[in-house]
Amino acid sequence: MKMIFRWYPEANAIDLGYIRQIPGVTGIAGEISAGVGQVWDLEDILRLKNQVEKYGLVLEVIESVKVHEDIKLGRETRDLYISNYIETIKNLGRAGIKVVCYDFMPVFDWMRTELERPLPDGSAVLAYDEEIMRKMDPLREDFGLCDWETVYSREELAILLKAYEGVGQEGLWRNLEYFLKAVIPEAKKAGVRMAMHPDDPCWPIFGLPRIITCEENIDRFLAIVDSPYNALTFCTGSLGCSGANDLPRLIKKYASMDRIAFGHVRNVKRLFGGSFEESAHYSRAGSLDMAEIMKAYFESGYEGYIRPDHGRRIWGEKGGAGYGLYDRALGAMYLSGIWEALKKVNQ
């Protein structure tokens, strides 16, 4: 298992030197600033890699190369954006990148209704309230969840939402198949494993289809191109929003098939009626058994990348929601401690 840490070069002020001080963390999952659908320049990728390596860390995982909406919608322009995507993957391969995390969620990425819900201990977390979501209209002027209001204008968002009405779940599956069959063979040539991130939360929102949500759908996704280069970013927080997903069993299943290229490991506390809030990584803080999750990776002989996922806002820290330094550092140490204990008792 290789413990790494998500780092945004420009979105917050976390120093790479601080990340290097977290025991056991050996690398970074990084990204560069480029418009969706544009080719990532090799020089920009190498510049990021050199920046990371100056601190004794490695850059072998990119998170993420976003998929243009025209690809998800199956528009005539998709071949241009797929060609650009493939060129980016080739450049990443040339730079020594081993894994690319990406997703196929229409319009919105991860979705929460609160970015700083206060907990009794004084920390604050990301949270999702299903009742609030049902009442929300993304086309209203007061809509402002996550950072989506800075991505699309109201007019652009209205056009996208209307376009997806004619796609539906099966249309999205067809468009994903078209994308995978074009990209995965080229990714294999480049030596880059494509690691699909599950939908977060793992059910439809605002009437938009979501398809990477459960075992049945993950099986269908992996079967489209049966190759270790068509793999998963197995996110326990995303799939763990639903109690129907048996995470340790699914980890054992897909890791033993060599179809997990990257693991996002975090806890989540499921609440009534589909609502949930994020929590500390510690098992007792949420609904997931983190020891069993790490045990599933260990018993499967997993040797890939794992990172602590979203953290609480603690100790007065400022920064991007879910991506501060302190609680994610605690998470990295907690997960590494479980892994060390598993190694000791299985010697």
Side-chain angles (χ1 to χ4, degrees):
M1 183 269 288
K2 303 180 183 76
M3 182 64 69
I4 64 175
F5 209 79
R6 182 71 166 99
W7 181 63
Y8 295 88
E10 300 172 1
N12 57 48
I14 294 177
D15 193 303
L16 283 169
Y18 294 165
I19 296 173
R20 183 67 182 90
Q21 293 169 21
I22 306 170
V25 172
T26 59
I28 290 296
E31 66 175 11
I32 64 172
S33 296
V36 178
Q38 295 182 5
V39 176
W40 289 23
D41 187 80
L42 178 58
E43 290 185 4
D44 291 338
I45 299 167
L46 292 174
R47 190 177 300 112
L48 175 65
K49 186 176 182 181
N50 291 336
Q51 184 180 5
V52 169
E53 289 177 345
K54 285 179 181 178
Y55 289 86
L57 299 163
V58 299
L59 179 71
E60 295 179 339
V61 179
I62 288 293
E63 189 177 351
S64 61
V65 182
K66 294 186 180 298
V67 179
H68 198 279
E69 293 299 324
D70 286 10
I71 297 173
K72 300 174 196 174
L73 285 165
R75 289 172 168 166
E76 292 181 358
T77 51
R78 66 179 171 181
D79 287 336
L80 168 62
Y81 291 116
I82 289 174
S83 177
N84 288 350
Y85 202 99
I86 289 170
E87 193 59 37
T88 292
I89 296 302
K90 289 178 179 178
N91 284 341
L92 290 169
R94 294 181 185 112
I97 302 302
K98 307 299 183 187
V99 173
V100 165
C101 172
Y102 72 108
D103 69 75
F104 217 73
M105 289 180 260
V107 187
F108 303 108
D109 197 325
W110 57 272
M111 179 58 66
R112 302 292 184 269
T113 57
E114 294 175 69
L115 299 184
E116 292 193 42
R117 174 178 288 182
L119 297 184
D121 64 3
S123 63
V125 297
L126 299 160
Y128 177 97
D129 188 305
E130 180 64 27
E131 186 175 347
I132 291 175
M133 279 293 292
R134 288 198 192 104
K135 297 176 182 177
M136 282 196 147
D137 180 355
L139 298 181
R140 282 179 48 175
E141 288 298 325
D142 60 352
F143 176 76
L145 302 180
C146 304
D147 61 352
W148 310 119
E149 70 273 20
T150 67
V151 176
Y152 303 111
S153 68
R154 291 289 178 263
E155 294 74 19
E156 290 170 331
L157 189 54
I159 292 170
L160 278 175
L161 293 175
K162 185 66 176 178
Y164 274 105
E165 290 180 8
V167 174
Q169 281 208 347
E170 286 306 312
L172 191 60
W173 275 113
R174 287 192 297 272
N175 296 336
L176 174 59
E177 179 175 355
Y178 188 93
F179 173 77
L180 293 175
K181 288 184 174 179
V183 170
I184 300 301
E186 298 300 327
K188 181 178 180 180
K189 292 176 188 176
V192 177
R193 298 187 73 184
M194 298 296 296
M196 173 73 82
H197 190 288
D199 301 338
D200 185 7
C202 53
W203 51 75
I205 59 171
F206 300 129
L208 293 165
R210 289 193 161 196
I211 57 178
I212 311 299
T213 57
C214 61
E215 181 177 10
E216 179 183 1
N217 287 6
I218 292 173
D219 287 347
R220 180 174 176 178
F221 154 67
L222 294 175
I224 292 172
V225 180
D226 189 6
S227 165
Y229 287 86
N230 181 36
L232 291 166
T233 294
F234 194 97
C235 180
T236 60
S238 300
L239 292 170
C241 296
S242 169
N245 290 323
D246 183 341
L247 303 181
R249 185 180 67 79
L250 294 180
I251 289 168
K252 288 181 180 179
K253 174 179 176 176
Y254 297 123
S256 66
M257 295 165 57
D258 192 23
R259 302 303 285 275
I260 299 178
F262 189 18
H264 288 183
V265 184
R266 64 176 168 89
N267 207 345
V268 62
K269 186 175 183 179
R270 292 190 291 264
L271 305 173
F272 178 75
S275 299
F276 61 87
E277 61 188 22
E278 298 187 2
S279 69
H281 284 72
Y282 185 46
S283 292
R284 292 185 187 177
S287 301
L288 309 185
D289 189 329
M290 306 305 284
E292 285 298 316
I293 284 168
M294 294 303 288
K295 182 181 177 183
Y297 275 113
F298 183 85
E299 291 181 346
S300 302
Y302 183 72
E303 297 180 347
Y305 305 91
I306 281 178
R307 73 164 174 85
D309 204 358
H310 303 164
R312 300 168 298 154
R313 192 184 297 280
I314 62 173
W315 302 339
E317 184 177 33
K318 308 298 182 184
Y323 282 100
L325 172 65
Y326 304 147
D327 199 44
R328 291 192 298 144
L330 292 176
M333 288 308 302
Y334 175 62
L335 300 176
S336 294
I338 294 173
W339 193 266
E340 182 179 31
L342 290 166
K343 290 177 70 175
K344 291 286 186 182
V345 300
N346 285 279
Q347 284 180 342

